[in-house]
């Protein structure tokens, strides 16, 4: 079998490179475990499968002085990577699913997703950062213990509307930049007249992938703050019609299918279907979170007559901020999702059903 190098398009930020490397190593490992590929642990490659990163800078990375909603929303983080696929410079692209539009363009497809990392949002207080320097673990006040008027940084309007529901007495400061830049804003910049922040809110998944979990003061439960749709999920995108495969090689679809997590894929489909049904992107204060539940916990709620013993129960919750009524709308629904050929269709229908429940409240 001939050697094959998988060219992977990725953003150049430290987090993107860490995430892409994690996904690439998972592709190598799962294909090695599937048999027929000898894995060289020392080099991190398989005898006939290796990878190289194609680092790119996106519009979203360049325009850090403006909010995402002001110049195009989610697509600004993936366009250059998709161009690389179209031009044949890369075989696959790795994205954070929450950075992707609710529906990919016809030229592309969501080929696989990795098992979901921690989907929650996390709070880092200024005391936690200074405490880390002095050796004190997770020092500093928790979010609900902040004094009235405290300044909390976040670049997400989804987070702001939910944080205001918890603490309307705080000031929420828009921030952008990579993880390190956002954490540094806790210290302020006295030379330029920028006051320090009392805390910042970031995705737990990114902090963990960057080895910064020890900076976290506390995690928000998904009941306190619903994560962004797709948060914590690494997505693998390819062309809809792949180029001819090298002679003697496994097809790209086969290679990626081995790393795909079926349950996470269903979750991704449901959450993105919700966004699409509401025609919502990152410029909207909207979110959804799907999770599989143990059948015994919910059988009585959905009705024993409707329960299939070989199915799993997928629950999805959603929020939508209605500017007209100034209300944060919420909805929740469940369905049996049987793993197999019909799972994606069932998950998509559930996401659409959730969106319809929200629309009925508008």
């Amino acid at each position: 079998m001939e050697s094959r190098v998988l060219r992977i398009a990725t953003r150049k930020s430290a987090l993107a490179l860490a995430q892409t490397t994690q996904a690439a190593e998972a592709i190598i490992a799962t294909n090695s475990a599937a048999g027929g590929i000898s894995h060289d642990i020392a080099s991190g490659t398989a005898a006939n499968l290796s990878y190289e990163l194609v680092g790119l800078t996106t519009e979203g990375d360049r325009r850090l002085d403006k909010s995402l909603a002001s110049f195009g929303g989610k697509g600004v983080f993936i366009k250059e990577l998709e161009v690389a696929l179209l031009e044949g410079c890369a075989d696959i692209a790795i994205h954070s699913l929450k950075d992707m539009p609710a529906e990919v363009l016809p030229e592309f497809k969501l080929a696989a997703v990795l098992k979901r990392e921690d989907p929650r949002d996390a709070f880092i207080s200024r005391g936690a950062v200074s405490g880390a320097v002095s050796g004190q673990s997770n020092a500093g006040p928790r979010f609900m213990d902040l004094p009235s008027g405290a300044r909390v940084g976040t670049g997400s309007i989804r987070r702001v509307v939910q944080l205001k529901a918890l603490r309307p007495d705080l000031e929420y400061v828009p921030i952008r930049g990579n993880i390190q830049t956002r954490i540094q804003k806790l210290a302020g910049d006295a030379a330029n007249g920028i006051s320090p922040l009392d805390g910042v809110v970031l995705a737990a998944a990114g902090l963990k992938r960057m080895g910064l979990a020890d900076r976290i003061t506390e995690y928000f439960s998904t009941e306190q703050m619903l994560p962004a749709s797709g948060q914590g999920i690494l997505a693998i995108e390819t062309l809809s019609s792949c180029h001819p495969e090298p002679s003697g090689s496994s097809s790209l679809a086969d290679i990626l299918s081995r790393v795909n997590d079926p349950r996470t894929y269903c979750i991704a489909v449901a959450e993105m279907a919700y966004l699409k049904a509401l025609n919502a992107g990152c410029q909207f204060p909207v979110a959804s979170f799907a999770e599989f539940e143990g059948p015994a916990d919910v059988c009585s709620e959905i009705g024993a007559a409707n329960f299939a013993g070989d199915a799993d129960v997928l629950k999805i919750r959603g929020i939508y901020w209605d500017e007209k009524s100034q209300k944060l709308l919420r909805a929740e629904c469940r369905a049996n999702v049987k793993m197999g050929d019909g799972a994606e269709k069932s998950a998509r229908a559930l996401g659409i059903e959730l969106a319809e429940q929200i629309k009925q409240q508008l």
Side-chain angles (χ1 to χ4, degrees), residues 8-10 19-20 23 27 81 92-96 234-237:
I8 306 177
T10 177
Q19 292 179 157
T20 300
I27 292 170
L81 278 63
I92 66 174
I94 305 294
H95 313 289
S96 291
L234 293 184
I236 304 175
E237 185 181 29

Side-chain angles (χ1 to χ4, degrees), residues 65-80:
D65 58 328
K66 297 182 180 295
S67 68
L68 293 178
S70 69
F71 68 96
K74 290 189 173 187
V76 299
F77 285 118
I78 72 168
K79 182 179 178 181
E80 285 80 359

Side-chain angles (χ1 to χ4, degrees), residues 1 3 6 26 29 88 115 117 141 145 152 158 167 176 193 242:
M1 186 174 289
S3 176
L6 199 60
K115 185 176 181 180
E117 173 61 275
D145 296 330
V152 176
R158 166 194 63 86
R167 291 291 306 271
R176 285 201 60 208
C242 296

Side-chain angles (χ1 to χ4, degrees), residues 6 21-32 34 49 92 94 111-116 234-236 252-265:
L6 199 60
T21 300
Q22 176 185 333
E25 293 293 341
I27 292 170
I28 297 296
T30 53
N31 278 276
S32 174
L49 183 63
I92 66 174
I94 305 294
V113 296
L114 270 64
K115 185 176 181 180
R116 191 173 213 165
L234 293 184
I236 304 175
L252 183 59
D254 287 342
I255 289 172
L256 298 181
S257 69
R258 296 180 183 118
V259 78
N260 182 58
D261 185 78
R263 286 186 167 225
T264 302
Y265 197 92

Side-chain angles (χ1 to χ4, degrees), residues 208-229:
K208 290 184 174 183
R209 289 172 179 146
M210 290 295 290
L212 297 172
D214 60 336
R215 297 291 187 93
I216 296 173
T217 301
E218 65 175 318
Y219 296 92
F220 291 99
S221 70
T222 59
E223 286 71 31
Q224 289 176 303
M225 186 150 64
L226 214 59
S229 300

Side-chain angles (χ1 to χ4, degrees), residues 38 101 150 221 230 300:
S38 59
S221 70
S300 60

